Amino acid sequence: MRLLHIDSAITGEQSVSRQLTAATVAAWVARHPGTQVEYLDLAVQAPSHLAAQSLGFRTGQAAATEIERQENALSEALVSQFLAADVIVVGAPLYNFSIPSQLKAWIDRIAQTGRTFKYTDKGPVGLAGGKTVIVASSRGGVYSTSEGGQAMEHQESYLKVVFGFFGITDVRFVRAEGVGMGPDAKAAALASAEQDVQAHTGVAANQAQVAQAA
């Protein structure tokens, strides 16, 4: 089994989402010995935001300059890495009611027609199904328990939609919210997140296929 571990928080050792992804990956590997883990730190290796030079994978045009060749190669490397993974653990802190721009830039690179989705006469169809995505979600406030909070957050809701667009129906959340509301609230949030880790690191969506292939 191949696991892709992604962090996107820019706060380094102070990051709660990084703490949660590390715990999630460790729990997964403990339960699934032999898992191959690949790590991508988007705060360190952030792909550039899409520009005219990086649209080759969308327009289908061959690269004409060295910059275009480099950008195309980066997009290909990222989507190939994503498609090769059976499990993706994504650290996604809430920044200004959404996700870090580095994580959005990564999503823009892997959202490729013919690779992760396609259009048909009946609408879009995801091509990356069968994977398990575990999102380590951290939030300073509490957003999940009220209609107002749910309307304000575009972090978990966005990620569930975009991975669903890619055909991934098994999207799980390890959530720590209220971490900015004082030490007691943070401790309670981390304890709740630990329960999520234990609940969500059992069987992968494609467990049977991986075992059969082995």
Side-chain angles (χ1 to χ4, degrees), residues 54-67:
S54 54
L55 286 176
F57 70 89
R58 293 194 175 181
T59 64
Q61 296 177 341
T65 67
E66 182 58 28
I67 292 178

Side-chain angles (χ1 to χ4, degrees), residues 163-182:
F163 285 123
F165 187 78
F166 297 158
I168 301 172
T169 57
D170 185 10
V171 182
R172 313 171 188 180
F173 291 94
V174 172
R175 178 190 298 143
E177 61 179 349
V179 299
M181 300 174 68

